[in-house]
Amino acid sequence: MSFLLTCPHCGVREVTDFGYGGEVTKRPTGSPDRRELNTYNYFRRNVAGVQREWWYHRSGCRAWFIAERDTTTNEVHKTEAVG
Amino acid sequence: MSRLAATPGERIDRSRPLGFSFDGKPVTGYEGDTIVSALYADGRRVFSRSFKYHRPRGELCGCGQCANSLVDVDGSPGVRACGEPARAGMTVTHLNAWPSLEHDVMSATDRFGGRFTQVGFYYKTFIRPRRLWPVYEKVLRRAAGLGRLRERQDEREWETEYRRRHCDVLVIGGGVAGLAAAVRAAELGADVVLCDEDVEPGGALLFEGGQERARELADQARAAGVEVLTRAAAIGTFDDLVPVVQGSVLHQVRAARTIVAAGAIQQPLVFGDNDLPGIMLSGGARRLGALYGVAPGKAAVVATVDDRGLDDALALVAMGVEVRAVADLRPEVPGGPAARLREAGVEVLGGLTPVRGHGRRALEAVTVARPRGGGERRIDCDLLAVSAGAAPALSLALQGGARAAYDGARAAFRLTDLPAGMFAAGAAAGFDDRESAERSGLLAGAEAAASLGRHHPRLREEQVRLGGERPEPLVATPPAWAGEGGKAFVDLDEDVTVKDVKQAVAEGFESLELSKRYTTVTMGPSQGRFSQLPSARLIAAETGLDLETVGLTTARPPWTSVPLGVLAGRPFEAAKRSPVHARHRELGASVRWAGDWMRAYDYGDAEAETRAVHEAAGIIDVSTLGKLIVRGPEAGELLDRLYPNRISNLAPGRIRYGVLLTDAARITDDGTICRLDEETFYVTTTSSGAGAVEQWFTWWLADWGLDATVTDVTQGLAAINVAGPRVREVLARVTDLDVGKEAFPYLDAKQAKVGGVECLLLRIGFVGELGYEIHCAGAHGQALWDALADAGAELGVRPFGLEPQRVLRLEKQHIIVGQDTDSESTPYVAAMPWIVKLDKEQEFIGRWALEQRRGEAPPLELVGFRCADGKVPAEGSVVLGDDGTPAGEVTSARFSAKVDAVIGMARVPNELAADGARISISDGGQRIEAVVTKEPFFDPEGEVLRG
């Protein structure tokens, strides 16, 4: 895996500058039952295609942001700051 | 030292001689020489012994591509002497021959090896009996191989500088095509990097009379802003990353577009004893003369299948080498060059090719004949210059996803499909002659720039023009091999002969991929540059398949050998040291790694240090603790959601212990939270957890969008824990603060000067004795340490390290996250249900999983234990269940002098997690009996701690 990411704060950097936070998931609300909670904790969609995912600029501004990346080509369509 | 008359294009500076040694003998060369050119001028022709048969080998390529002149330079093995510039004072030694290059006892394998050296013998022979493999391995390793690694670690140290370079266009290869491409792309405004393996860009221009054009183009490129990297090899294509190695610098080049202009590799011919020193590529022979003023031989025969060989023959004549004959495989030798050769008195023989080399240590004569027999002639010579066509250097393009097909007219493979973002120019793209190569370069540069939105006005025009002017090459296809007798080498690196490949095919290894692995053909250091095409040709001949079907293997990275240190050398490791580190060293601490930190493990006597804490007091540097400042109107809300207990109701100046959980309620870290004021919290984490906790906090903060900030101040602050019965006496000497029981109760935090240093004092205790954790600015850490140490010296205070701390906290059954907990440990498993506040209104992380487990007995529970005798079970030892099967695990164990027993903690099944329960621990072979003790061994009621 080797590609460039554009940190919304710092600019274009090597992927090795970043930490990967996995696909964006939706945290349950209310009182999830065991199945819902386990699905949230342990299951991922693992799409082959464009995915919204978390990245952390570990060797830079140390901010989390969201990227849209094609998991089959590593092409990053866009990145956006959060919060 | 004999040299040809000086020529304008030569690379050597005859006014600057330099000396170095080869195998202990002094050698003199000139500035600009390679090791090989200087040795050639000195009359040496043999540079190595071959890999398997230990046959003497001479120079082949003259440009650092072949493995025929691997030497050891100043202790580094595997240096290509024909590409390595000579430096004054360097120590060069040969590899792979003993006792000397001239007399190598292992060359007996060449003469008497017989069945012991046939292909596959290694797999077939040494497999039985298996137990003897270690012996075989020793012998084989000594017999084969390419040099010795340095033995001591400090001699092997290698520092690589990693440089990241993002650019618009990377041009691989600095020949005429690459230079033209770089110039064009840069002139159109692209940010261009060009890398070339030679000491200067120019490629073949440099030794084929085009050095002025080369320098002109290089100047133009630099003027246009191209970053020109010389002696810099692109070693592979990994997605959009091309690593370029330049000495000890690894440029990690990521280019939006790549132009492959890596040129072509002149090919050798396969015939009997084609490896004799004196048989070399005609281009290499020409280089030696043109760049270094060294005559490649006295009397030469040139064997060719194309015009390049004829051109090289004319160049040899011009430099004064007596060319006795040119054997051109093509029956009709093209008139122009042939006439010029004949004019110069050179005999031109059409339709002939070498079938046998003669000579004992070096070439003495060559027999040429028609490839299918007949017309034999033996010609005395000491140089056979070979030109068997040129194989485009496609490997880097193929690694990047390009495809290649066999082109019969050129007798070589050529690129057909390029992946998106990749362009090709020059010989790599099939443009062999200088003029069309330059044009193809200009076009590739323009196309790459255009694809980045930088258009050239006449792009279309140039595309059309180039399409129309590809001259038809006139190349004869070399025979798979020619002649009988001698050893005919297909691969000089690995000593693979025609016989070996034939046998592999006969044994069923018909596919190129299989025979490659069986015979190791193309697997040597030159990565198949000179053996891929000949071996494919041979397999085609043996199997009756055409070359298109036989195909091509893709050489794996690194395309050019590089020291392992470049790829796997020690990276710059972040060794974190506390601000007090120098003191620990002075005190004779044994310093060990603890995560990223270098920490004092003990100061020579862990037991005495432990005792001092119990009897007087001890000081320990805990600057390694992670420290975060969480601030903002919603900081309390953030922490309430992150911790299972309540944080927002903490009063300013008060402290609470907390564990961090995942949404599966697994414990990931622990520490203390101190509220400094209404909006500010000071959070400590484990020493190794600071980074992960900061990430965790900021991630949720980003997701929830609360009005708070998280700042990591770990390395900005120092912290020293002072603990023991006499701690108040110590503090009284260094601070005006009232540290008494009433004025400064347990879990309070106060700011005060200690030893003149502004500090934050936290009344908490990890080690169990009455204690204060004192934090201050990192710069004053040493002053604080000194103040405490000096104040305590006459009270019996000692510094204590990590090991005594582990004993002390074990006496108190304080857990270490990661040591006593694992990825399955919830607060219920870790025996701290009290930390979970399910009546809290916030939906904190881990709440749902905890709610679902509430009231269930956890499958395992963390308990303390005391051993019946003095044996200390290893951490990780098995706790046996009633039926004698593994049921739990020892997480910590130490001998405690205070308790006067071996104590520890273990995760045990629920039914054994009762005070007084007897457990059996199995540590390897031995059985250790222990009793479960759920309350702390020391100060179970916490009276000391709160006192």
Side-chain angles (χ1 to χ4, degrees):
Chain A
M1 192 178 74
S2 169
F3 53 94
L4 297 175
L5 269 170
T6 305
C7 170
H9 310 290
C10 308
V12 180
R13 296 288 188 278
E14 308 265 329
V15 69
T16 49
D17 264 23
F18 299 90
Y20 179 55
E23 64 188 51
V24 174
T25 55
K26 199 170 156 36
R27 193 162 180 262
T29 50
S31 290
D33 61 23
R34 278 190 190 228
R35 176 169 288 273
E36 279 173 277
L37 185 60
N38 283 346
T39 303
Y40 165 67
N41 273 330
Y42 302 114
F43 287 82
R44 296 292 178 268
R45 292 189 305 277
N46 197 25
V47 297
V50 180
Q51 166 174 283
R52 276 174 69 76
E53 54 196 23
W54 285 103
W55 287 88
Y56 175 68
H57 197 185
R58 188 174 46 214
S59 305
C61 62
R62 302 211 254 184
W64 286 92
F65 62 93
I66 287 176
E68 279 179 19
R69 178 181 63 106
D70 189 321
T71 59
T72 60
T73 62
N74 281 334
E75 198 184 335
V76 180
H77 296 300
K78 68 169 184 179
T79 54
E80 60 194 50
V82 182
Chain B
M1 188 166 67
S2 71
R3 300 273 180 168
L4 300 168
T7 56
E10 68 185 18
R11 188 172 282 174
I12 50 169
D13 181 348
R14 298 188 191 224
S15 67
R16 294 166 69 195
L18 59 80
F20 63 94
S21 76
F22 181 73
D23 280 350
K25 294 183 200 91
V27 181
T28 312
Y30 291 120
E31 199 67 42
D33 259 323
T34 63
I35 297 171
V36 158
S37 68
L39 289 170
Y40 243 85
D42 218 31
R44 183 171 276 281
R45 293 292 178 270
V46 176
F47 301 99
S48 67
R49 288 277 175 163
S50 70
F51 182 65
K52 193 157 86 180
Y53 299 114
H54 291 252
R55 286 164 67 106
R57 288 281 162 82
E59 188 41 46
L60 181 71
C61 71
C63 58
Q65 303 278 314
C66 66
N68 267 23
S69 59
L70 289 177
V71 294
D72 179 298
V73 175
D74 296 332
S76 292
V79 177
R80 286 150 206 246
C82 56
E84 185 72 17
R87 281 181 288 103
M90 75 200 310
T91 304
V92 185
T93 51
H94 74 271
L95 304 174
N96 206 25
W98 186 84
S100 76
L101 206 45
E102 286 74 26
H103 306 281
D104 179 1
V105 295
M106 287 303 292
S107 64
T109 51
D110 185 24
R111 272 161 282 158
F112 314 114
R115 72 186 192 86
F116 294 113
T117 52
Q118 66 186 344
V119 67
F121 126 96
Y122 186 88
Y123 305 124
K124 293 168 183 167
T125 309
F126 293 111
I127 191 163
R128 287 188 195 90
R130 229 190 159 88
R131 69 192 157 79
L132 278 185
W133 171 248
V135 181
Y136 292 146
E137 192 187 12
K138 238 180 210 168
V139 175
L140 287 170
R141 285 218 190 277
R142 197 171 151 73
L146 298 165
R148 288 176 72 83
L149 286 174
R150 294 178 228 212
E151 280 175 16
R152 295 211 323 271
Q153 183 57 36
D154 57 338
E155 295 173 328
R156 294 188 201 164
E157 286 293 325
W158 176 281
E159 264 186 18
T160 303
E161 184 186 325
Y162 298 94
R163 176 175 180 254
R164 292 174 173 180
R165 179 70 162 91
H166 305 159
C167 60
D168 294 326
V169 178
L170 169 67
V171 181
I172 300 172
V176 64
L179 281 170
V183 167
R184 173 58 62 81
E187 284 178 351
L188 289 169
D191 175 18
V192 182
V193 175
L194 177 143
C195 65
D196 189 79
E197 297 195 343
D198 210 344
V199 296
E200 61 176 323
L205 286 178
L206 296 170
F207 62 96
E208 290 182 352
Q211 64 276 358
E212 275 175 33
R213 180 70 187 134
R215 276 151 211 173
E216 212 174 271
L217 277 169
D219 288 345
Q220 228 179 311
R222 290 194 177 96
V226 176
E227 183 182 354
V228 178
L229 304 173
T230 55
R231 275 188 69 64
I235 60 167
T237 310
F238 304 86
D239 293 349
D240 65 352
L241 168 69
V242 176
V244 176
V245 177
Q246 187 182 36
S248 60
V249 182
L250 179 66
H251 303 267
Q252 299 175 345
V253 183
R254 288 171 195 278
R257 304 288 182 266
T258 307
I259 298 174
V260 178
I265 300 151
Q266 199 171 38
Q267 296 295 295
L269 284 167
V270 182
F271 56 91
D273 293 334
N274 60 341
D275 68 327
L276 281 167
I279 300 177
M280 65 190 297
L281 298 171
S282 63
R286 193 167 171 180
R287 256 174 184 273
L288 279 179
L291 294 179
Y292 310 106
V294 174
K298 289 190 181 71
V301 170
V302 176
T304 188
V305 302
D306 57 9
D307 287 353
R308 186 175 296 262
L310 301 180
D311 202 37
D312 290 342
L314 282 165
L316 288 176
V317 172
M319 69 178 75
V321 176
E322 183 199 342
V323 179
R324 292 200 168 148
V326 172
D328 193 328
L329 183 61
R330 299 171 295 184
E332 302 291 326
V333 184
R340 283 204 295 284
L341 281 165
R342 288 195 180 103
E343 242 167 68
V346 176
E347 190 177 5
V348 180
L349 307 164
L352 299 186
T353 192
V355 293
R356 184 77 198 260
H358 308 280
R360 235 173 69 76
R361 300 188 155 273
L363 185 71
E364 290 160 15
V366 62
T367 299
V368 293
R370 282 195 284 275
R372 291 176 196 288
E376 286 198 7
R377 271 197 51 192
R378 181 182 164 120
I379 307 165
D380 288 344
C381 59
D382 68 348
L383 169 68
L384 175 65
V386 176
S387 177
L394 305 181
S395 283
L396 293 170
L398 296 176
Q399 285 173 16
R403 288 167 192 280
Y406 188 68
D407 179 352
R410 284 187 175 72
F413 284 84
R414 71 178 166 81
L415 290 174
T416 52
D417 302 290
L418 287 164
M422 190 183 277
F423 301 82
F431 298 97
D432 303 307
D433 67 294
R434 193 185 295 177
E435 210 162 303
S436 66
E438 184 167 340
R439 255 187 249 287
S440 78
L442 289 171
L443 183 59
E447 285 178 335
S451 72
L452 294 166
R454 302 173 184 279
H455 291 280
H456 187 261
R458 290 188 308 283
L459 178 61
R460 184 73 202 128
E461 205 177 304
E462 288 195 9
Q463 281 170 329
V464 173
R465 197 162 147 218
L466 189 71
E469 69 171 280
R470 196 184 287 232
E472 258 320 293
L474 291 163
V475 181
T477 303
W481 82 95
E484 301 291 329
K487 280 194 171 76
F489 288 94
V490 184
D491 187 325
L492 295 172
D493 297 15
E494 298 278 294
D495 266 359
V496 180
T497 62
V498 169
K499 198 177 138 203
D500 293 332
V501 176
K502 282 175 151 186
Q503 191 186 329
V505 173
E507 289 186 28
F509 297 94
E510 292 184 3
S511 132
L512 188 66
E513 293 286 355
L514 292 179
S515 80
K516 163 184 161 181
R517 284 159 178 82
Y518 192 51
T519 62
T520 72
V521 72
T522 74
M523 285 163 74
S526 61
Q527 290 282 68
R529 281 172 172 82
F530 309 102
S531 56
Q532 185 166 57
L533 199 49
S535 65
R537 217 169 253 145
L538 184 52
I539 287 172
E542 283 299 296
T543 57
L545 300 169
D546 58 31
L547 267 176
E548 185 71 53
T549 313
V550 170
L552 201 60
T553 57
T554 301
R556 287 173 213 167
W559 168 237
T560 297
S561 333
V562 291
L564 265 181
V566 169
L567 307 173
R570 178 181 293 175
F572 296 105
E573 250 173 304
K576 296 184 186 168
R577 292 180 180 83
S578 106
V580 197
H581 191 77
R583 283 288 178 272
H584 307 321
R585 286 282 190 198
E586 283 165 25
L587 290 164
S590 54
V591 173
R592 293 194 193 173
W593 283 100
D596 288 345
W597 291 95
M598 300 292 292
R599 295 197 71 179
Y601 190 73
D602 61 37
Y603 298 85
D605 189 345
E607 249 190 78
E609 293 162 30
T610 314
R611 197 163 54 241
V613 176
H614 279 307
E615 289 172 2
I619 53 174
I620 180 168
D621 181 7
V622 290
S623 303
T624 58
L625 291 171
K627 309 172 204 79
L628 303 175
I629 290 182
V630 183
R631 169 176 279 167
E634 293 181 304
E637 169 76 16
L638 173 68
L639 296 173
D640 272 348
R641 294 197 201 179
L642 289 167
Y643 287 92
N645 46 350
R646 206 174 271 112
I647 308 295
S648 59
N649 66 353
L650 199 60
R654 288 291 290 166
I655 301 165
R656 200 162 283 165
Y657 172 76
V659 295
L660 287 167
L661 308 180
T662 65
D663 254 324
R666 315 295 183 205
I667 297 173
T668 55
D669 206 274
D670 70 345
T672 55
I673 305 105
C674 168
R675 188 167 209 159
L676 299 178
D677 58 43
E678 199 48 47
E679 293 196 353
T680 313
F681 294 85
Y682 183 56
V683 176
T684 65
T685 76
T686 61
S687 293
S688 53
V693 172
E694 188 205 3
Q695 272 190 47
W696 183 247
F697 279 25
T698 52
W699 194 6
W700 286 109
L701 186 57
D703 197 22
W704 290 328
L706 294 171
D707 188 0
T709 58
V710 176
T711 311
D712 179 8
V713 295
T714 301
Q715 287 174 88
L717 299 182
I720 294 159
N721 188 5
V722 46
R726 304 189 75 173
V727 62
R728 289 200 173 104
E729 285 173 70
V730 178
L731 287 176
R733 296 177 177 210
V734 287
T735 182
D736 296 333
L737 183 72
D738 182 351
V739 295
K741 185 178 176 181
E742 280 71 38
F744 196 167
Y746 184 58
L747 294 181
D748 246 18
K750 290 195 187 301
Q751 295 189 33
K753 276 195 172 175
V754 180
V757 176
E758 212 52 72
C759 294
L760 173 69
L761 293 87
L762 310 179
R763 228 201 110 181
I764 48 178
F766 184 50
V767 298
E769 288 285 355
L770 171 64
Y772 299 81
E773 200 173 274
I774 310 176
H775 294 240
C776 71
H780 301 302
Q782 201 158 300
L784 175 63
W785 174 274
D786 290 346
L788 292 167
D790 293 347
E794 57 191 59
L795 302 171
V797 173
R798 291 180 69 138
F800 66 104
L802 213 50
E803 172 59 20
Q805 188 195 41
R806 287 190 179 159
V807 176
L808 291 161
R809 67 93 198 176
L810 199 54
E811 292 168 353
K812 195 67 187 156
Q813 292 189 12
H814 282 156
I815 66 160
I816 296 177
V817 172
Q819 165 98 32
D820 303 301
T821 64
D822 66 1
S823 63
E824 294 299 304
S825 297
T826 65
Y828 299 132
V829 172
M832 44 174 76
W834 45 267
I835 200 127
V836 179
K837 303 284 188 252
L838 289 177
D839 55 348
K840 195 165 89 165
E841 52 287 347
Q842 277 90 0
E843 272 184 3
F844 63 86
I845 296 187
R847 176 184 195 123
W848 305 312
L850 289 166
E851 276 173 348
Q852 287 166 6
R853 283 173 181 77
R854 177 167 45 175
E856 284 175 20
L860 292 170
E861 197 176 319
L862 189 66
V863 297
F865 65 83
R866 179 200 297 255
C867 292
D869 57 26
K871 286 182 227 153
V872 184
E875 282 157 5
S877 293
V878 168
V879 176
L880 300 172
D882 289 338
D883 56 356
T885 59
E889 183 187 9
V890 173
T891 62
S892 297
R894 289 284 190 284
F895 172 74
S896 162
K898 183 84 181 168
V899 182
D900 193 23
V902 172
I903 57 171
M905 280 200 275
R907 279 192 300 272
V908 300
N910 197 249
E911 61 274 16
L912 294 175
D915 237 338
R918 296 185 173 280
I919 54 172
S920 276
I921 297 164
S922 168
D923 176 10
Q926 63 180 341
R927 192 67 70 85
I928 299 168
E929 302 302 326
V931 178
V932 170
T933 311
K934 290 186 84 170
E935 64 179 23
F937 302 101
F938 173 74
D939 186 26
E941 304 300 327
E943 286 156 3
V944 174
L945 197 58
R946 291 188 178 84

